[in-house]
Amino acid sequence: MIKAGSIDKGTFLLFKGDPYLVTEREFVNPGKGSAFCRLKLKNLRTGQVLRETMKTQDNAEEIAVEEKDVQYLFTDGEGYHFMYTDTYEQFEIPVAGFEEKRYFMREGETFRVVMWESQPLDIKIPYKMVFTVTQAEDAIKGDTVTGATKNVVLETGLTVRVPIFIKQGEKIMINTESKEYVERVNG
Amino acid sequence: MTIEAARERAGIIREIREFFDALGHLEVDTPVLSPQLIPESNITPFRSDLLSPYGPSTELYLAPSPEIWMKRLVARGSGSIYQIAKCFRNGEQIGRHHNPEFTMLEWYTLGAGYLEQIEVCERLVARLSESRARPIEGVSVPFARLTMEEAFRSYAGVELSELQELAALERAADRLGVLPAERAGEETWESLFNRMFLALVEPSLPRERPLALLDYPARLPSLSRPIAGTPWTERWELYIGGVEVANCYTEETASERVRAFAHGEERRIAERGKPVATDPGFPELFPAGFPRFSGVALGVDRLVMLLTGAEEIGGVIFFPVSDRVLRNSSTGSSSRARITKE
């Protein structure tokens, strides 16, 4: 059991029989009243999003999860297909609710998967990752304004705003949470 | 906050001053360090010590609002007053709309009740939004007005006036699925009300224009005046874009009612083991027959966010206390303190 006030973004809960991931948490004190928290929960079985209001003293059921290494194989649009690196067994995680993850997964790469009672629940994306720029316009000649930026497209299809000196074929580091450019990576 | 945003914020604050000066309110500047507070069980103040070289130290608090001082000035005959004050609240979430240190516009108007203050607030918001370079969605006048009774009827499907008894409210909360089974029989009227309000009513409140949500239940402890013959009090909260921006009461001055409020809050504070020095003279602040007056507290940072389209409070204040600051603090613990508050 966990007090609702201790629930944070990233907590896994068992709620009405289904596993949920907390994706947002906000505390509210209505009109100088006592503290409540508002949660946005994602049902990890169906991808459905649920909003729930709880008093910070209410109990919730936290689930104990474990992590395993998996290899990302491909997506068919409905699901992401993975393989456990130890047993070579394959499984699928629904794309619904995880649409954004496709920008950070390249076929053949290894990720950590969050497991609960031998069910895969969530894929962990590293906070920072390096990608190749596949589309970039050349900087306009004579444009020397400091801080000038432009859009480029990465190998996974993600569009990011980068400094004007970044060229096609170069590698750049991305903050996967904010989807923002961090730095150019040499070599 | 960028320097450009700071310029815009400074302009808004300058206009707020011009507005209240023209309205004939005196600007006051009351202490941030306060030896006593108004008992409010849901507010956790910041505490510090005044050290004396000669004797014991004295506990002082960073004012969670300038109310205690401003009411003393009103009682002393200041007439209508306003203040743009730094306020401090501990133990609350740090987030999109919250910083532990924030700026409050608080004003008290002699001879005016809570309904007149909606109009004052409308004129202020109209003026500030007209000065912006572009029109701001959802910030327009007149404000929508909705009573709490109507809001519960429309969005929760219940007659709040018929749910004044604890047992009746609990049955309704249970039927509407907002009371966890293990909490049955454990909740106060206020807590059940807030569960229904937050789960069913507040998310449905209209957002097309600012909304004054009027006439709060008298069963919620507050220093607002009851409306005779009804279960409501003269109080409103202003919501803009779904965010609580201001709170207004026709102020209760009758000493027996202020005392009842203070005792209730002091009891709740003691139950939670949070020692707070409260002013024993507060209930007797206003002599019998003191003229009717009302007060509004308005969150300046939130208003500036709305007027400038800032997404986060950090876009309208310099150096916000962020989770990142707390994590990286060289003096603090590297783990983020989990705040659980009743």
Side-chain angles (χ1 to χ4, degrees):
Chain A
M1 283 294 176
I2 182 176
K3 291 283 177 209
S6 301
I7 293 173
D8 208 342
K9 195 175 157 178
T11 304
F12 292 91
L13 299 173
L14 187 65
F15 197 71
K16 296 176 182 164
D18 273 343
Y20 281 85
L21 170 66
V22 178
T23 55
E24 274 175 37
R25 185 227 43 203
E26 190 182 22
F27 285 113
V28 279
N29 291 64
K32 290 191 173 183
S34 54
F36 282 78
C37 55
R38 281 220 158 105
L39 305 174
K40 199 167 154 187
L41 303 160
K42 187 163 64 185
N43 186 321
L44 294 168
R45 209 174 45 77
T46 64
Q48 266 180 336
V49 172
L50 189 74
R51 286 177 193 279
E52 193 66 23
T53 303
M54 299 178 88
K55 212 171 172 187
T56 54
Q57 293 303 304
D58 288 351
N59 288 317
E61 199 170 334
E62 189 175 16
I63 52 183
V65 294
E66 53 169 346
E67 292 185 11
K68 269 189 133 173
D69 277 337
V70 296
Q71 190 181 29
Y72 173 55
L73 302 175
F74 66 95
T75 176
D76 55 14
E78 306 247 308
Y80 296 115
H81 293 260
F82 295 89
M83 181 177 74
Y84 294 113
T85 52
D86 52 354
T87 62
Y88 306 112
E89 199 188 325
Q90 292 189 18
F91 66 94
E92 186 184 345
I93 286 186
V95 169
F98 289 124
E99 290 83 355
E100 301 262 286
K101 299 220 177 194
R102 75 191 148 95
Y103 291 127
F104 306 111
M105 295 197 298
R106 276 172 298 214
E107 292 177 6
E109 268 184 23
T110 302
F111 292 91
R112 303 284 289 171
V113 65
V114 178
M115 309 281 300
W116 171 66
E117 292 188 340
S118 61
Q119 280 181 63
L121 294 184
D122 188 20
I123 300 298
K124 295 197 104 173
I125 302 290
Y127 182 59
K128 285 177 182 172
M129 289 180 78
V130 174
F131 294 95
T132 305
V133 176
T134 52
Q135 279 180 52
E137 286 164 25
D138 284 338
I140 302 154
K141 234 184 181 155
D143 188 350
T144 54
V145 182
T146 48
T149 58
K150 63 178 181 184
N151 281 331
V152 297
V153 181
L154 306 181
E155 56 192 302
T156 54
L158 181 68
T159 302
V160 283
R161 213 139 184 95
V162 300
I164 211 136
F165 57 79
I166 298 291
K167 295 189 198 68
Q168 191 166 320
E170 285 185 322
K171 287 182 164 41
I172 59 172
M173 187 178 278
I174 298 297
N175 174 332
T176 58
E177 219 167 89
S178 63
K179 297 202 266 312
E180 281 169 359
Y181 167 87
V182 180
E183 63 188 10
R184 179 164 60 182
V185 181
N186 293 321
Chain B
M1 176 164 66
T2 61
I3 298 299
E4 197 183 321
R7 208 166 277 132
E8 225 175 332
R9 179 187 170 103
I12 290 168
I13 289 175
R14 195 155 47 237
E15 275 194 85
I16 293 173
R17 289 208 158 88
E18 286 166 11
F19 178 86
F20 282 99
D21 291 345
L23 209 63
H25 285 47
L26 172 69
E27 179 169 10
V28 296
D29 188 3
T30 60
V32 163
L33 282 173
S34 186
Q36 290 167 328
L37 299 174
I38 296 172
E40 286 181 293
S41 58
N42 291 316
I43 291 178
T44 309
F46 280 90
R47 265 192 313 194
S48 190
D49 293 301
L50 177 68
L51 304 177
S52 162
Y54 313 109
S57 63
T58 310
E59 207 157 73
L60 291 178
Y61 302 93
L62 297 182
S65 94
E67 180 174 349
I68 192 165
W69 299 112
M70 292 182 80
K71 281 188 170 168
R72 282 176 188 162
L73 294 178
V74 170
R76 219 194 259 182
S78 66
S80 299
I81 51 176
Y82 79 97
Q83 175 162 209
I84 297 169
K86 271 280 157 76
C87 299
F88 302 84
R89 295 196 185 167
N90 213 339
E92 289 185 8
Q93 184 197 24
I94 293 165
R96 222 183 122 207
H97 294 107
H98 287 89
N99 195 57
E101 158 171 8
F102 60 100
T103 302
M104 187 113 94
L105 163 66
E106 189 148 323
W107 75 89
Y108 292 89
T109 309
L110 267 287
Y114 74 133
L115 295 177
E116 286 130 289
Q117 294 285 21
I118 300 181
E119 290 164 30
V120 173
C121 218
E122 279 173 333
R123 294 211 302 275
L124 174 68
V125 168
R127 175 174 172 163
L128 295 175
S129 52
E130 277 159 21
S131 308
R132 300 302 96 210
R134 53 199 158 69
I136 305 122
E137 208 182 316
V139 185
S140 55
V141 292
F143 299 162
R145 290 158 167 79
L146 185 70
T147 66
M148 199 55 110
E149 187 178 26
E150 290 162 346
F152 267 74
R153 188 179 297 142
S154 300
Y155 308 120
V158 296
E159 280 304 321
L160 195 54
S161 59
E162 293 166 7
L163 303 175
Q164 296 299 306
E165 295 300 325
L166 178 65
L169 188 66
E170 185 173 304
R171 275 195 301 276
D174 184 41
R175 184 168 52 80
L176 293 165
V178 299
L179 179 64
E182 79 266 16
R183 296 294 302 159
E186 302 286 327
E187 300 262 305
T188 61
W189 196 94
E190 179 195 355
S191 175
L192 291 165
F193 168 85
N194 279 328
R195 280 185 191 275
M196 286 170 84
F197 179 70
L198 287 176
L200 306 170
V201 179
E202 203 198 41
S204 307
L205 292 174
R207 293 181 177 205
E208 301 79 54
R209 50 180 58 245
L211 170 75
L213 188 60
L214 288 166
D215 300 349
Y216 274 57
R219 291 207 57 158
L220 299 180
S222 85
L223 288 168
S224 55
R225 269 209 347 207
I227 303 173
T230 75
W232 319 115
T233 69
E234 298 193 353
R235 169 179 177 186
W236 52 259
E237 296 240 355
L238 178 65
Y239 282 86
I240 306 183
V243 178
E244 250 180 86
V245 173
N247 182 30
C248 170
Y249 300 163
T250 303
E251 300 291 345
E252 182 58 83
T253 52
S255 53
E256 71 279 8
R257 289 211 200 96
V258 177
R259 196 176 302 116
F261 166 83
H263 285 169
E265 290 299 288
E266 281 164 5
R267 198 183 57 241
R268 277 185 280 275
I269 292 167
E271 278 165 13
R272 289 169 204 175
K274 293 193 283 191
V276 166
T278 58
D279 174 7
F282 185 66
E284 277 77 40
L285 200 55
F286 297 99
F290 193 85
R292 174 182 166 86
F293 76 103
S294 51
V296 182
L298 182 151
V300 172
D301 308 313
R302 289 182 181 183
L303 183 64
V304 175
M305 280 175 72
L306 290 160
L307 289 169
T308 60
E311 288 288 319
E312 304 220 329
I313 197 165
V316 299
I317 61 174
F318 280 126
F319 314 120
V321 177
S322 69
D323 278 6
R324 192 159 302 181
V325 168
L326 294 180
R327 270 201 296 269
N328 296 343
S329 157
S330 54
T331 52
S333 138
S334 61
S335 67
R336 187 153 39 120
R338 283 259 171 82
I339 296 157
T340 40
K341 227 180 53 150
E342 174 66 25

